[in-house]
Each structure stands twice: as C-alpha cells, then as structure tokens.
Amino acid sequence: MKRLKVSYHSAPGVVVPVGELAEDRGQFFFEFDESFITGGYPLSPFKLPVAPGLHTFRKLPGVFDDALPDGWGRLLMDRFLRQSGRSPATFTALDRLAWMGEHALGALSFHPSSRDPDEGAREADLGQLAREAQAVIEGEAGLVLPELLKAGGSPGGARPKVLAGIRNDEVITGPEPYPGGYDPWLIKFFAKTDQPDTGAVEAAYAHMAEAAGLAFPAHRLFDIPEGRFFGVRRFDREGRRRIHMHSLGNLIGADFRVPSIDYQDLHKVVRLLTGDMTQVLQVYRLMVFNVLAHNRDDHAKNFAFLFTPREGWRLAPGFDLTFSEGPGGEHTTSVCGEGRAPGREHFKRIAEKADIGSSKAEQIVEEVREAVAQWPSFARTCGVRGATAKRIEKIIAKK
C-alpha cells in the first residue's frame, strides 16, 4: 500500500498537516489528521467533508486530482518517465502526486516527494522554452530538457505552457517562492493546430472580458521571435502566499472531458459555496459572456473556486476565455439544457432559477453585449490577423 502525507499551506510559512492518503489495488483511502479536524478548513466540502475516520474512494478524490497536471503537464511527465526507463502505465496516481511534491498548483503539497530538490530559481530563455515545447508537441524531442520539465510539469490543459517568474521582460524558472520583484505567471505556447495569432486572439478576449465587467488576472502578450504568446498572472499565488484552488468538475465529481453539467449547476454551487449574491451575479455575467463571445470550451474544469481561511470560498477570476467552437459545435456546459443555440430566453430562465431580478439580469446581458460588440477594436489592438478577426466578428454578430 502506497501512502502520502498531505499538507495545506494556509499562510506564508504556515504548513498545516491535512492527513494521509493511501492507494491499494485501485482503491484510495484518506484519513484526516486530528489537528486538521479541529481546524476545520473545508478544502473539498462536497466530496471530502472534514470528519474523523477512514474515507474510501474508487478513484482519486477530486481535491487531490486538481493537484495533478493533465494534458500538457502529463505529457511531459510521461515523456520523462520513458526516457528514465519507467513505464507511465505503472506510475500510479500517488506516484504522480509524490512527483509533484511541493510544486502542485494551489496550496496542497505531498510528502515524501520523489522529485530531486531544485537548485533555485534561474534565468530562463522564453524562446528556448517555446522551441523545446514545440519539439515535444511535434514528437521531435529526443529528451525533455530539465528546464522545460520544471517549468511546464504542473499546468493542466492541452496547450503547451510554462510557469515562470516575470519581472518586466526578465524570465526565471525554478522553485517558488521567486525572488523579490518576480511575479508568478503562466505563459501559453502554441498547440499543433494553433494559428500564429492564437495568443493575440486570447489577449483580445481578455480585454473584452474586462470590458464586460468580468474579473480577470493581469495579462499580456510576450512578443518574441518564436511567436506572440499569451500570459496571465497566476491567481493561485498572492505574493509568497499559496491559494487553495478547486475546479468545479472535481468539486462536484463531474467529468470535464464530456458535456456533463449545466449553468444551473454552476449557479447552485456558487450560491451554496459562497453564500454571496455578488458571486452569483459574476457567474451569470461569465455565462452570458461565454455565449455571446462564442467561447464553447466552457467545460467543468474551466471554472474554479479559491479558498483562504480569512475570506472563505470565492469564484476564481476568468481563465481560458477565448473563441472556441466546442464539441460538436455546442457549449460544453449547457444553458438550461441548450448547448447549440442558447439565447435570451435561456438567460431569463437561468436568472429566475438563480433568484436574479429580471432588470438586473437584462442589465448584465446588455453590458456584456456592448463589450462583445467592441471585438474589432480589441482585435486590432492585440494584432489579430484581419481574416481571423472578421471570421470571429461574423459569428458573434449573430448572437
């Protein structure tokens, strides 16, 4: 039976033991530390409520699954395992968590770590990282270089990306916390099917989301010879503080790989978790934006929540907001059951079920509509190619 100690970084320099996680022949077991039960931090209130005794699961509990990379990060991990002579098929979920150790997204860490200690932060060449990432995607990389493995081994999602410390145009990689003056960022490179202006499109959408009244992290385009890459400041870090993060999918046990939830579910979760009507209004605004801006990759892992002992639970800022056709040309998250062509009537029904007044709901729809109508301006500002901008404009003009 494999075992790991789980810890929670509740404040800078304050690490709280959460409990012990074990795996045996495909079953998972977890027991909270007695001191954590007394503290009572609700790190996963729906699927792993804080209570004494042994908790048994048929799959890895979602709160721990959120600490694992998927897509790009898992690809890098598997490549590294193969070049080290190990089979990814025999590398269990607990093996992967042990490899993450102190380097997981969010505020959880896992011990003992199987990763070699990092030497410290070091200057990085963003262009070189981009070239290495492209070689991995194209299947041309003989070896996954250590710099790329450390910088890109945590993020989820399919697109290549790295975690880095940024100070103006200086880039460093390595263990956190970064030296003073460097902020933690996530920078996205290009996937196989991406166009050269993919980063510019996402940057334009970020500006459009802000104009629509959505909370969005600091963002910028990194313009280097290898491409124009979109980056955002990480919202699971505040200075030297790690912020606990839980995706909607893993919070409620929904598979993000298939269309399995409705925006009604998201509104219910926000109300139950936060008890804050302003958060409900924010997720309503996000729903309207995704529909009017044609972001149909709105799956259950593209919504997240943040927790701190002082503030409790809150909706995470928007992320992965960009033009997307979605699976089969539909929204991954339906709007009152409608995925292909949701509109005003579906918005009204959601508002009624979420106890949002009709006048407030209509105000939000109009504010978002006005922002989305400015797409051509945002596209020009960010350098989106004319053909791309016109294609997107034609589609969103029909909303």
Side-chain angles (χ1 to χ4, degrees), residues 206 208-217 235 263 266-271 274-291 302-306 313-319 321 347 350-351 354-357 360-361 363-365 367-368:
M208 192 160 64
E210 290 175 320
L214 288 171
F216 202 91
F235 53 71
Y263 276 101
L266 178 54
H267 282 79
K268 287 178 185 176
V269 172
V270 172
R271 182 184 287 276
T274 72
D276 183 355
M277 194 60 190
T278 61
Q279 301 280 295
V280 176
L281 294 174
Q282 183 71 188
V283 81
Y284 184 81
R285 189 179 295 271
L286 176 58
M287 172 194 71
V288 174
F289 179 85
N290 282 341
V291 171
N302 272 347
F303 306 103
F305 297 87
L306 305 177
W313 286 99
R314 67 187 189 276
L315 185 70
F319 61 98
L321 303 182
F347 295 161
I350 290 282
D355 293 326
I356 300 172
K360 185 63 178 177
Q363 176 190 342
I364 290 173
V365 172
E367 289 173 353
V368 174

Side-chain angles (χ1 to χ4, degrees), residues 98-260:
W99 194 85
M100 296 306 301
E102 294 273 352
H103 301 276
L105 299 177
L108 297 181
S109 59
F110 305 88
H111 312 275
S113 172
S114 61
R115 190 187 298 201
D116 293 334
D118 284 325
E119 299 172 357
R122 64 192 65 82
E123 185 178 350
D125 182 335
L126 196 58
Q128 181 184 8
L129 291 174
R131 292 191 298 272
E132 291 174 6
Q134 190 64 35
V136 170
I137 284 292
E138 298 292 341
E140 299 171 356
L143 295 175
V144 177
L145 298 184
E147 290 78 8
L148 183 61
L149 187 67
K150 291 174 182 177
S154 296
R159 185 180 297 172
K161 53 185 71 71
V162 292
L163 303 177
I166 303 296
R167 185 175 67 184
N168 299 321
D169 289 329
E170 298 176 29
V171 181
I172 61 172
T173 58
E176 301 173 63
Y178 298 124
Y182 287 90
D183 293 323
W185 281 65
L186 181 150
I187 304 167
K188 299 182 179 181
F189 299 138
F190 296 150
K192 259 188 179 182
T193 57
D194 284 343
Q195 298 301 312
D197 60 352
T198 294
V201 170
E202 189 163 359
Y205 264 67
H207 288 294
M208 192 160 64
E210 290 175 320
L214 288 171
F216 202 91
H219 54 91
R220 58 175 284 197
L221 279 169
F222 291 82
D223 198 346
I224 59 177
E226 287 73 14
R228 303 180 73 223
F229 302 119
F230 180 69
V232 293
R233 195 188 187 288
R234 292 172 58 183
F235 53 71
D236 68 327
R237 300 289 188 266
E238 292 178 359
R240 302 177 71 85
R241 186 181 196 185
R242 296 177 59 170
I243 309 298
H244 179 58
M245 180 175 64
H246 208 345
S247 70
L248 171 68
N250 276 326
L251 182 70
I252 64 175
D255 187 350
F256 78 96
R257 297 171 183 83
V258 295
S260 57

